[in-house]
Amino acid sequence: MRTRTRAAATAGALLASVVTVLPVQAAEVAPAFRVDQRDLDWQECEDLLPVGEEALECATLVLPMDHGSGGNADAETVELALSRASAGGDSERTLLVNPGGPGSPGRDLASRTHQGLPEDLREIYAVVGFDPRGSGASVPAVECDPSAFEPVRAPSIPDPPGDTGALWEEAESYARACADNTGRLLDHMATVDTARDMEALRAALGLESVDYLGYSYGTYLGAVFSSLFPESVDRLVLDSVVDPDTPWHESNLAQSRAVERAADNFFDWIARHDDAFGLGGSAGEVERAYHRLREELRDEPLEGTVGPTELENLAITVAYTGRAWPVVGAALADRIVDEDPAALVALDTEMGEGPGDDQNRGGYNAVQCTDSHWPSDRGIWESEGHRAHDEAPFIGWNNIWYNAACASWSAESGEWYRLGDGPGHRPAYEGDALLVHAADDGATPLHGAENLRAHMPGASLTVEENGITHAVSLGDNPCVDGIVTAYLREGSLPERTDGEHDAVCEAPPEPEPRDAQSAPQDLPDRAGSLGGGHPGGGE
């Protein structure tokens, strides 16, 4: 599931020193790691700068590559790159943060999160970020084939419909490159492996429990972590929730439909501002104009760099944040109405997917391809692709090929980590938790948050009604922020109701076309956060 990260994603924070007593659950034994590699040596960061006046430190934690090795001194290891942002001195509480992905680094999230907290919580909290195994500055890193992202890439929509040979070769070549260049790490990249890393990190910090804030994929990571190690969690905030009941293969198919609905909202908004964009007075007209452009780029890529796939990869940002609407809309109008490609080419450079995204994409595949099972039969993939394109033409085929490396992935896939009481299921976390979700989030449909709430008896779900942004906490919605802050500061949650939602906040106003002058660098790139609810980055 293409959840992507929220670069700069902001964090929650918490509170005084009231300790939550958690219900007794069967917890997994803590991961083993060598005693001589347990202590953390916090030093000034060499490759990260603080966002503000906070103290920012970095460290490395050495852990077994295979947590089943029992801490054997001869076993292969991973080195997790860590960061810690605080007001200096001893902090009352520690907040562990993850921006999503999967496969995306998270160290820079610590400083941004700390600066996004209210002043009193900045005094209380140390915020710890980490580059999950295989990502960022952690060693070894997932490495595949940067050349796979050189433009112009094969169009995602087969034409004629059965002409998929080149696309399959790209997917299989990428899977082979990941295996050849990454090696055994691919066998230990599942979400459960990272959850065990988090437990080892908690122990290395010398803490009985940590608070956790996860966005997007980080919500699934948090659900698994809190299920495996319930006594290691105090306060839990999960924002833009991945459906815990649906393995990645099925999730991606559902996501394409959700992204289509979000794109429809964008097209409708463009139509309502036809005086500014001139792309059509109805959503259907705007959609057809977009599809005509995509087809034109098959034969004539913009400046030899932006073809149909590149266009899709930058346009999908409109399904993640309303901040992208004015900018993408203006760029489309420049090209379609004025025949000026400069803005779209610039957006591709800023927000598209290029060779520098190889580690993130490889890490994404490494997690998703092993977390759960995928079809190996090309016929199944192609049948699903045709159906997805019929129902969700905005991104249906693109999302098929985004994950197609899993059809021939070298590392063995495992069983989906299922929450619940059924055979093969694991008990969900029973302590207090705050779930936050925008109603019209295109990346992670709302029903995922409703499903996780049903598994977690102590969870309270806050929904941003009419919200269009993926990741909303501590952004520009005082209602949402007030609920998050109250939970982090006082441990209080909206009272759980008999329905599916426990609190509702109205979304901020839609963006205005005049915002189209926003600089492209103000928007997240493909590998970065696509949410708007973070410090300094709200809509």
Side-chain angles (χ1 to χ4, degrees):
M1 173 175 247
R2 196 182 299 197
T3 66
R4 298 200 10 247
T5 65
R6 314 181 0 151
T10 178
L14 161 244
L15 135 15
S17 56
V18 179
V19 177
T20 300
V21 179
L22 299 177
V24 176
Q25 290 178 247
E28 184 146 309
V29 176
F33 53 100
R34 290 168 51 182
V35 173
D36 64 320
Q37 296 173 335
R38 172 173 175 165
D39 293 336
L40 298 176
D41 181 21
W42 294 102
Q43 300 288 338
E44 181 178 352
C45 298
E46 297 181 356
D47 58 346
L48 293 177
L49 294 175
V51 173
E53 300 298 321
E54 74 278 8
L56 182 63
E57 307 164 289
C58 288
T60 299
L61 177 62
V62 181
L63 298 171
M65 181 178 291
D66 178 3
H67 281 291
S69 67
N72 186 334
D74 296 325
E76 293 179 274
T77 60
V78 296
E79 298 178 12
L80 292 190
L82 314 174
S83 65
R84 180 173 64 183
S86 70
D90 294 333
S91 301
E92 293 181 36
R93 303 187 71 91
T94 295
L95 180 69
L96 187 61
V97 293
N98 179 273
S104 298
R107 282 189 307 152
D108 63 346
L109 184 58
S111 187
R112 292 189 177 103
T113 293
H114 191 268
Q115 281 299 297
L117 298 175
E119 183 176 357
D120 63 323
L121 297 181
R122 291 200 298 270
E123 295 296 323
I124 291 171
Y125 261 104
V127 182
V128 174
F130 65 104
D131 291 347
R133 54 172 56 208
S135 73
S138 292
V139 178
V142 173
E143 297 178 356
C144 299
D145 180 12
S147 70
F149 304 95
E150 294 284 358
V152 171
R153 295 163 67 181
S156 68
I157 303 171
D159 185 24
D163 187 11
T164 59
L167 291 158
W168 276 115
E169 176 52 35
E170 284 187 1
E172 293 176 351
S173 175
Y174 194 72
R176 286 194 301 270
C178 293
D180 292 344
N181 296 323
T182 303
R184 276 180 37 78
L185 178 63
L186 293 187
D187 295 321
H188 306 286
M189 283 290 295
T191 296
V192 168
D193 294 306
T194 297
R196 290 173 178 147
D197 291 344
M198 291 166 60
E199 171 62 5
L201 172 56
R202 176 206 59 78
L205 291 167
L207 300 171
E208 292 186 3
S209 64
V210 292
D211 298 328
Y212 176 77
L213 170 64
Y215 294 95
S216 197
Y217 163 76
T219 66
Y220 179 62
L221 176 61
V224 173
F225 172 58
S226 60
S227 170
L228 285 171
F229 307 105
E231 295 183 359
S232 297
V233 181
D234 194 343
R235 289 190 168 86
L236 183 66
V237 182
L238 305 178
D239 186 322
S240 304
V241 179
V242 168
D243 187 354
D245 294 345
T246 310
W248 295 130
H249 170 229
E250 293 84 354
S251 281
N252 275 285
L253 298 174
Q255 185 189 51
S256 293
R257 277 73 173 176
V259 167
E260 187 73 20
R261 294 190 292 273
D264 288 344
N265 290 336
F266 167 68
F267 292 141
D268 178 71
W269 178 83
I270 290 287
R272 286 186 279 112
H273 296 285
D274 188 44
D275 57 337
F277 298 107
L279 293 174
S282 70
E285 288 180 271
V286 178
E287 180 181 20
R288 287 189 292 274
Y290 171 81
H291 288 165
R292 283 195 300 270
L293 172 62
R294 182 171 64 180
E295 190 60 27
E296 290 173 14
L297 298 185
R298 183 183 289 271
D299 296 322
E300 296 184 30
L302 302 180
E303 298 188 5
T305 61
V306 181
T309 296
E310 287 78 17
L311 177 67
E312 290 168 342
N313 289 344
L314 72 88
I316 194 176
T317 56
V318 303
Y320 286 76
T321 172
R323 291 171 57 212
W325 288 11
V327 182
V328 174
L332 289 172
D334 282 356
R335 170 58 182 81
I336 295 170
V337 178
D338 299 329
E339 299 186 355
D340 180 358
L344 275 178
V345 172
L347 284 183
D348 176 59
T349 300
E350 293 291 337
M351 297 171 9
E353 190 176 47
D357 295 309
D358 175 59
Q359 189 190 65
N360 285 13
R361 169 70 86 88
Y364 165 93
N365 286 139
V367 175
Q368 295 226 345
C369 295
T370 55
D371 260 356
S372 59
H373 301 308
W374 295 77
S376 58
D377 184 344
R378 288 186 179 185
I380 294 175
W381 287 81
E382 293 185 21
S383 175
E384 291 173 341
H386 288 296
R387 186 163 60 253
H389 182 68
D390 288 343
E391 299 175 9
F394 185 72
I395 206 69
W397 269 116
N398 186 297
N399 217 9
I400 291 291
W401 302 118
Y402 200 84
N403 298 280
C406 294
S408 58
W409 199 251
S410 64
E412 185 177 351
S413 62
E415 296 294 332
W416 181 248
Y417 192 99
R418 292 188 179 277
L419 300 176
D421 302 324
H425 293 196
R426 302 294 294 268
Y429 180 64
E430 296 179 359
D432 290 345
L434 177 61
L435 313 182
V436 181
H437 211 103
D440 294 327
D441 181 356
T444 52
L446 176 59
H447 66 78
E450 294 165 347
N451 288 345
L452 183 59
R453 177 187 179 276
H455 288 299
M456 289 183 162
S460 176
L461 172 58
T462 293
V463 173
E464 187 183 62
E465 192 67 28
N466 301 314
I468 56 176
T469 291
H470 182 64
V472 295
S473 296
L474 301 178
D476 60 351
N477 189 320
C479 174
V480 172
D481 295 349
I483 291 170
V484 172
T485 301
Y487 175 55
L488 296 175
R489 181 179 290 108
E490 304 157 8
S492 60
L493 289 169
E495 184 176 354
R496 191 171 168 107
T497 69
D498 293 333
E500 293 181 314
H501 309 158
D502 306 300
V504 176
C505 295
E506 186 61 33
E510 288 182 339
E512 293 293 331
R514 64 175 179 271
D515 296 335
Q517 300 303 314
S518 299
Q521 60 264 29
D522 292 337
L523 292 174
D525 61 27
R526 183 182 182 89
S529 157
L530 293 173
H534 56 78
E539 292 177 336

